[in-house]
């Protein structure tokens, strides 16, 4: 709570808090001070009720009472601040004009506006900055497009009880501010209104309207216009970020399987967690799809890097795998042709590790042919808890032109589990150790005997998350195949 807001009643407010505290029982409680622009409310909250009737504070207060919020009992008292919110704003501005205080105010405003990239939060922050320092109330209007109509997105008044009535009054003002391009003053009921356009990078984004009963001084207008410029830039940045994040989420979804096919005799579980911020596309991917009448294909891969370049290689890999598999190419032949396709991308090419396999249900379980192109080794878990490596390391994709791949063949008996992960699991780091040091992944898998495929995938994910306290800096993908 700022000193200018309560300094005049600080001693009285502390006395009120002391009076309320004397009435509580011997259990934990909390004291809360709320600033309402023209008043300060002191609250004492406690879960249990105090014995006897509550007493009024020993000093004069505007009003006091008892309310209940859930399981809490709130004993409160309200003190009126000398002068109105406009008096507070005037005193603050007068003090600001005599020193560098306004620089601190604008710096704080900039920090608050820069602290969020959520376009829905910016209007609320704008209003909280200017009320009650510059005005009694603030209304923020924005438009969805450069030529779209303005709409009220946030309204704040120093007296919360007046917000609904103010909202009705503002309905008559919407048309007056629709075409405003420069700061202007209007009149609304008992308020003078300062309309400040929100313009960033040459584009109009909306309008910030401030209201107060008396005239806006030149200092207030200067502050409001400065805040309007900062608010507009924050709004534009948040919108650009949100649009980019939405586009990249759509791109990320397009790089993952559109559905989960039903495979006879197969129980499978998948975990996928991109590690980047909302504006990044992960480099890990997986796929599971039908390749023929009696066979299905699966893949799990890791493209070097993140962002659009990695996404381009991911999209190329997924579509190439599906197309060639349905044309009847075996897993080794598919990887050979995918390697050539990546190299033909030239400077846009990215290294790719990939585990690609073919699944054929048989009476005794599943027949699997798979190739590991520079990918972390796949592991098989037997119902007894025994774990073994089942793939032969081969060259990763996008490096050498002349490379031949050979498929490994294995049989999954009923109850056997095949685990494939990206290096977001195996290279999870805690200090100087990696999760897969000394066979750490195999030990983690051995604890999963008897679990379903989804349970195994979740157990591995949780084990990777718990291995280090810091958030992972790498994407993570886990594919678990279990023969029913």
């Amino acid at each position: 709570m700022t000193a200018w807001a309560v300094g005049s009643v600080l001693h009285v407010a502390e006395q009120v808090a002391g009076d309320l505290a004397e009435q509580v029982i011997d259990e934990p409680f909390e004291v809360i001070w709320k600033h309402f622009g023209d008043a300060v409310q002191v609250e004492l909250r406690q879960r249990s009720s105090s014995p006897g009737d509550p007493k009024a504070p020993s000093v004069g207060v505007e009003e006091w009472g008892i309310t209940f919020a859930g399981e809490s009992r709130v004993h409160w008292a309200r003190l009126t601040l000398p002068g109105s919110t406009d008096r507070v704003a005037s005193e603050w501005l007068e003090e600001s004009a005599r020193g560098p205080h306004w620089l601190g105010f604008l710096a704080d405003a900039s920090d608050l506006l820069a602290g969020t990239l959520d376009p829905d939060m910016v209007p609320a922050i704008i209003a909280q900055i200017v009320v009650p320092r510059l005005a009694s109330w603030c209304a923020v209007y924005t438009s969805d497009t450069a030529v779209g109509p303005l709409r009220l997105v946030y309204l704040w008044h120093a007296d919360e009880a007046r917000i609904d009535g103010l909202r009705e009054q503002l309905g008559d003002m919407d048309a007056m501010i629709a075409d405003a391009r420069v700061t202007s003053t209007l009149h609304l009921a008992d308020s003078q209104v300062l309309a400040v356009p929100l313009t960033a990078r040459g584009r109009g984004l909306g309008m910030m309207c401030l209201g107060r009963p008396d005239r806006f001084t030149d200092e207030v207008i200067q502050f409001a216009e400065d805040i309007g410029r900062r608010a507009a830039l924050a709004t534009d940045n948040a919108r650009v970020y949100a649009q980019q994040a939405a586009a990249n989420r759509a791109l990320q979804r397009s790089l993952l399987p559109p559905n989960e096919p039903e495979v006879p005799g197969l129980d499978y579980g998948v975990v996928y967690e991109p590690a980047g911020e909302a504006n990044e596309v992960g480099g890990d991917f997986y796929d599971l799809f039908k390749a023929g009448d009696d066979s299905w294909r699966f893949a799990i891969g890791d493209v070097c890097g993140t962002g659009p370049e990695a996404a381009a290689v991911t999209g190329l890999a997924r579509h190439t795998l599906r197309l060639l598999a349905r044309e009847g190419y075996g897993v080794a032949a598919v990887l050979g042709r995918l390697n050539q396709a990546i190299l033909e991308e030239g400077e846009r090419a990215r290294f790719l590790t990939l585990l690609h396999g073919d699944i054929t249900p048989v009476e005794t379980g599943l027949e699997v042919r798979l190739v590991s192109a520079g990918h972390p080794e796949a592991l098989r878990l037997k119902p007894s808890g025994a774990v073994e490596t089942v793939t032969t390391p081969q060259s990763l994709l996008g490096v050498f032109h002349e490379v031949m791949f050979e498929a490994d063949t294995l049989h999954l008996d009923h109850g056997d589990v095949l685990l494939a992960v990206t290096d977001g699991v195996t290279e999870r780091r805690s200090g100087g150790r990696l999760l897969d040091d000394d066979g750490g992944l195999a030990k983690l898998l051995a604890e999963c005997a008897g679990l379903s495929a989804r349970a195994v995938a979740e157990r591995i994910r949780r084990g990777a998350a718990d291995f280090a306290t810091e958030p992972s800096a790498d994407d993570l993908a886990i594919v678990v195949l279990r023969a029913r």
Side-chain angles (χ1 to χ4, degrees):
M1 183 172 294
T2 54
W4 59 263
V6 299
S8 57
V9 295
L10 183 59
H11 176 73
V12 179
E14 290 177 340
Q15 179 62 45
V16 170
D19 292 342
L20 299 182
E22 289 179 355
Q23 302 182 45
V24 302
I25 61 177
D26 189 19
E27 288 187 9
F29 64 89
E30 59 179 341
V31 175
I32 300 171
W33 288 24
K34 292 184 177 179
H35 179 227
F36 292 103
D38 59 350
V40 172
Q41 182 164 299
V42 182
E43 298 181 355
L44 189 143
R45 297 188 180 185
Q46 190 173 35
R47 285 187 174 274
S48 303
S49 298
S50 302
D53 296 328
K55 299 178 182 179
S58 60
V59 296
V61 297
E62 178 183 350
E63 56 182 333
W64 67 277
I66 301 289
T67 57
F68 294 88
E71 299 179 355
S72 298
R73 172 183 180 272
V74 182
H75 190 178
W76 57 270
R78 180 174 293 196
L79 297 168
T80 301
L81 289 172
S84 65
T85 56
D86 304 290
R87 169 78 175 278
V88 172
S90 299
E91 292 175 350
W92 179 82
L93 284 168
E94 181 180 353
E95 187 69 23
S96 300
R98 295 197 296 266
H101 179 66
W102 66 276
L103 292 176
F105 168 60
L106 292 177
D108 290 343
S110 296
D111 289 342
L112 287 171
L113 290 168
T116 180
L117 288 173
D118 183 352
D120 294 330
M121 284 294 297
V122 176
I125 294 174
I126 294 172
Q128 298 293 333
I129 289 172
V130 300
V131 177
R133 293 175 176 87
L134 304 184
S136 300
W137 56 265
C138 175
V140 181
Y141 295 78
T142 63
S143 59
D144 296 329
T145 62
V147 296
L150 294 179
R151 57 187 180 88
L152 179 63
V153 294
Y154 195 84
L155 177 62
W156 184 250
H157 198 296
D159 183 357
E160 295 182 53
R162 300 178 60 183
I163 292 179
D164 291 338
L166 176 61
R167 191 183 302 276
E168 296 179 2
Q169 295 176 10
L170 290 177
D172 301 328
M173 194 181 72
D174 294 350
M176 294 188 288
I177 67 170
D179 298 324
R181 295 293 182 268
V182 296
T183 301
S184 58
T185 56
L186 308 168
H187 291 280
L188 177 70
D190 58 350
S191 296
Q192 186 182 57
V193 180
L194 181 68
V196 181
L198 301 177
T199 304
R201 301 182 176 98
R203 294 183 292 114
L205 304 177
M207 186 73 63
M208 176 180 69
C209 294
L210 311 181
R212 56 188 293 172
D214 59 351
R215 183 181 66 86
F216 282 93
T217 64
D218 292 340
E219 290 85 357
V220 173
I221 295 175
Q222 180 182 353
F223 277 117
E225 289 181 332
D226 202 331
I227 291 174
R229 287 189 291 269
R230 298 165 192 253
L233 188 59
T235 299
D236 194 47
N237 289 339
R239 286 185 177 184
V240 170
Y241 181 87
Q243 291 168 359
Q244 184 180 16
N248 283 323
R249 284 194 296 269
L251 174 59
Q252 187 75 74
R253 288 194 297 268
S254 73
L255 299 177
L256 298 176
N259 50 45
E260 297 183 351
E262 289 290 335
V263 183
L266 175 67
D267 171 28
Y268 66 91
V270 173
V271 170
Y272 177 76
E273 293 182 352
E277 298 290 339
N279 64 333
E280 292 186 7
V281 179
D284 289 9
F285 71 96
Y286 71 92
D287 205 354
L288 178 63
F289 59 94
K290 186 176 179 65
D293 293 338
D294 298 314
S295 68
W296 285 258
R297 294 286 180 95
F298 74 93
I300 180 171
D302 184 359
V303 178
C304 176
T306 59
E309 294 83 2
V313 176
T314 299
L316 173 65
R318 274 197 68 242
H319 294 299
T320 301
L321 290 174
R322 285 181 170 238
L323 176 63
L324 294 179
R326 287 165 180 164
E327 290 294 322
Y329 288 91
V331 290
V334 167
L335 264 64
R337 284 161 175 77
L338 176 58
N339 183 60
Q340 284 300 122
I342 294 175
L343 290 171
E344 289 171 2
E345 290 291 298
E347 294 182 356
R348 297 178 298 176
R350 290 289 186 276
F351 301 150
L352 168 64
T353 71
L354 181 67
L355 179 70
H356 180 42
D358 174 81
I359 306 170
T360 303
V362 295
E363 185 175 345
T364 56
L366 299 173
E367 291 291 338
V368 182
R369 291 179 297 276
L370 68 168
V371 178
S372 177
H375 202 76
E377 297 175 332
L379 301 176
R380 175 170 57 184
L381 169 66
K382 303 294 289 185
S384 63
V387 176
E388 61 180 332
T389 301
V390 293
T391 52
T392 303
Q394 301 181 57
S395 173
L396 74 166
L397 305 176
V399 180
F400 304 110
H401 285 273
E402 301 298 331
V403 59
M404 298 293 293
F405 295 97
E406 296 184 4
D408 295 306
T409 301
L410 72 148
H411 180 80
L412 295 181
D413 294 322
H414 298 297
D416 286 358
V417 171
L418 180 66
L419 170 67
V421 301
T422 58
D423 60 10
V425 176
T426 57
E427 296 183 6
R428 181 81 161 107
R429 180 176 295 276
S430 176
R433 288 183 52 81
L434 302 179
L435 183 145
D436 201 30
D437 286 348
D438 301 323
L441 181 60
K443 295 175 183 177
L444 194 60
L445 179 61
E447 301 172 358
C448 300
L451 299 180
S452 67
R454 292 183 184 274
V456 172
E458 176 58 26
R459 185 75 169 267
I460 300 299
R461 183 206 66 79
R462 190 171 66 248
D466 294 343
F467 184 74
T469 56
E470 310 84 24
S472 176
D474 197 3
D475 305 324
L476 176 150
I478 301 170
V479 173
V480 177
L481 308 178
R482 178 177 175 273
R484 294 183 185 273

